[in-house]
Amino acid sequence: MEVMRPTLIRIGGRIYRKNHIQEKAHQHEEEEEAFYAGLGDGADEPCDAFVIEETERGYRCAFDVPSPLYKYIIGKKGETKKRLEMDTRTSISIPKPGAEGEIVITGQHRNGVISARTRIDVLVESFRKKQPFTHFLSFALNQPVIQEKFLQFKKEVLEKCSNDCGVSSSLFQNPAKLHMTIGTLVLLNEQEIQKAQELLQKCKEEFADAIAGGKPLTVEVAGIEYMNDDPAMMDILYAKVTMKDGSNQLQLIADRLMDRFVTSGLMLKEWDRVKLHATVMNTLFRKDPNADEQSNTTIGKFFKGRESFDGRNIMKLFENFYFGGVQLNSVFLSQRFSTDSSGYYATSGQLTFS
């Protein structure tokens, strides 16, 4: 089935096919080489997305790749880089580990340089997806009125449901970090962070201001729901976030932001629409109170090693719990594993639409 429906990788608005290969016994040790073996030769790829310079000795292509990804281009003992150079008849210069700079491909034949660049792009994009995310776009929902009602919710749940299997105070979100996530990003250097900041401002100019109408969005955080199918074995319980006037402004802004960031290559498309929610209880917090937002690819799935909780009574007693109404006027580029002076996530950038 994988041969009939191979993995598709989007790079710079273009889509590449990742060919299926037979797994090897030592897959983790030879991951880079195994992936590389599955790539086509790429010689006939169009190069409209590449800048290829003609030089006295042939052709040259220079481009940026974040330094944490160099090792995937080099491969174990340099084998991936050697094979790239041999198969495409090019020379590939990579900055020293930890040093940001351009990767430079040179060769006597233009198609060889194009092929090497295409292969590196596909290789980098594939392994980028395996990196833990570093940032996420968020609406902050930690206003005092929401925090106060959240703490009331926590108190009442523990008073009435603490005897239910798995229910404990360790499951609850830090009230100062209550938020709604639009999507997660892997930003591996300052240039990528700056690109995300600039894209946020473009989104403000292109559609956010117009959709918001120059005013804050008045939303309500009310009602709870769970991610998986069995309320007796919950991993994530969340509060629902809706526009007070019943409009779709919040959904529209969130979806448009996700689409723009996915198109730019900074974010992976995991759902057709953003799920408007704020996590209030999560079994990840049981082991790590500082555990941050999870990628949407894990939402609703069963995680081995996580101790689920029985949320049936919580749903029965608090299904329509009202956390409050607030006005939202900013989207934050939030840093994972961080805290600012207010207790919320440190911010690398923001979009303000009022």
Side-chain angles (χ1 to χ4, degrees), residues 52-70:
I52 308 294
E53 304 173 41
E54 187 171 4
T55 66
E56 292 181 357
R57 297 185 177 182
Y59 297 89
R60 178 181 185 273
C61 181
F63 55 102
D64 291 315
V65 170
S67 59
L69 299 177
Y70 292 165

Side-chain angles (χ1 to χ4, degrees), residues 309-328:
F309 64 96
D310 186 344
R312 288 175 293 183
N313 282 332
I314 297 176
M315 289 301 302
K316 181 179 178 180
L317 296 171
F318 303 97
E319 184 175 7
N320 297 311
F321 189 89
Y322 185 71
F323 292 90
V326 293
Q327 292 188 325
L328 304 178

Side-chain angles (χ1 to χ4, degrees), residues 153 156-157 160-161 164 167 222-240 280-281 309-321 323:
F153 170 77
E156 293 183 11
V157 167
K160 299 175 182 179
C161 306
D164 295 343
V167 175
I224 56 173
E225 191 53 86
Y226 53 98
M227 291 292 183
N228 56 304
D229 296 328
D230 187 356
M233 296 187 65
M234 290 187 190
D235 280 315
I236 299 173
L237 186 75
Y238 63 88
K240 293 179 279 189
V280 294
M281 297 174 70
F309 64 96
D310 186 344
R312 288 175 293 183
N313 282 332
I314 297 176
M315 289 301 302
K316 181 179 178 180
L317 296 171
F318 303 97
E319 184 175 7
N320 297 311
F321 189 89
F323 292 90

Side-chain angles (χ1 to χ4, degrees), residues 92-353:
I92 301 171
S93 174
I94 301 174
K96 294 180 180 180
E100 297 293 342
E102 291 186 323
I103 289 179
V104 179
I105 304 170
T106 55
Q108 294 184 356
H109 302 285
R110 192 166 185 269
N111 276 355
V113 174
I114 294 170
S115 178
R117 170 64 192 271
T118 300
R119 294 187 187 199
I120 289 175
D121 279 356
V122 175
L123 192 67
V124 165
E125 193 64 20
S126 176
F127 285 101
R128 174 186 285 278
K129 292 179 180 178
K130 299 182 180 182
Q131 305 302 307
F133 73 90
T134 60
H135 295 72
F136 56 100
L137 294 183
S138 73
F139 283 101
L141 294 171
N142 65 343
Q143 296 81 352
V145 62
I146 301 292
Q147 289 199 47
E148 182 179 348
K149 292 292 288 184
F150 170 79
L151 291 173
Q152 178 189 334
F153 170 77
K154 177 179 178 180
K155 179 176 180 290
E156 293 183 11
V157 167
L158 293 176
E159 286 176 351
K160 299 175 182 179
C161 306
S162 60
N163 291 328
D164 295 343
C165 181
V167 175
S168 71
S169 62
S170 64
L171 294 173
F172 290 85
Q173 171 69 284
N174 177 346
K177 291 194 170 182
L178 287 165
H179 66 278
M180 188 189 86
T181 296
I182 295 171
T184 59
L185 305 95
V186 177
L187 306 178
L188 298 176
N189 58 21
E190 287 301 319
Q191 290 89 339
E192 292 191 342
I193 293 173
Q194 183 176 349
K195 182 179 178 182
Q197 293 169 341
E198 292 171 353
L199 184 55
L200 265 182
Q201 295 311 306
K202 288 181 181 178
C203 291
K204 169 182 170 65
E205 298 166 5
E206 292 175 6
F207 60 83
D209 281 344
I211 295 173
K215 300 183 297 183
L217 303 179
T218 302
V219 306
E220 290 186 318
V221 184
I224 56 173
E225 191 53 86
Y226 53 98
M227 291 292 183
N228 56 304
D229 296 328
D230 187 356
M233 296 187 65
M234 290 187 190
D235 280 315
I236 299 173
L237 186 75
Y238 63 88
K240 293 179 279 189
V241 184
T242 59
M243 288 292 297
K244 186 174 183 179
D245 62 6
S247 72
N248 68 341
Q249 286 175 296
L250 180 62
Q251 185 73 60
L252 192 54
I253 288 176
D255 289 344
R256 291 285 297 275
L257 282 167
M258 178 188 69
D259 288 342
R260 287 290 279 112
F261 273 79
V262 168
T263 301
S264 75
L266 292 173
M267 182 183 292
L268 293 179
K269 189 176 182 69
E270 297 171 308
W271 301 103
D272 290 335
R273 303 185 75 194
V274 175
K275 191 175 187 68
L276 306 181
H277 75 285
T279 298
V280 294
M281 297 174 70
N282 191 330
T283 53
L284 284 177
F285 300 149
R286 197 191 301 280
K287 292 183 178 180
D288 181 6
N290 296 314
D292 279 297
E293 184 69 30
Q294 291 297 294
S295 169
N296 284 342
T297 55
T298 62
I299 289 178
K301 296 181 180 179
F302 178 76
F303 299 98
K304 292 182 179 180
R306 292 175 68 163
E307 180 189 347
S308 299
F309 64 96
D310 186 344
R312 288 175 293 183
N313 282 332
I314 297 176
M315 289 301 302
K316 181 179 178 180
L317 296 171
F318 303 97
E319 184 175 7
N320 297 311
F321 189 89
Y322 185 71
F323 292 90
V326 293
Q327 292 188 325
L328 304 178
N329 68 350
S330 293
V331 176
F332 297 98
L333 178 60
S334 301
Q335 300 174 28
R336 194 182 187 191
F337 302 129
S338 68
T339 304
D340 67 11
S341 59
S342 73
Y344 193 63
Y345 299 94
T347 300
S348 295
Q350 72 183 78
L351 177 163
T352 301
F353 45 78

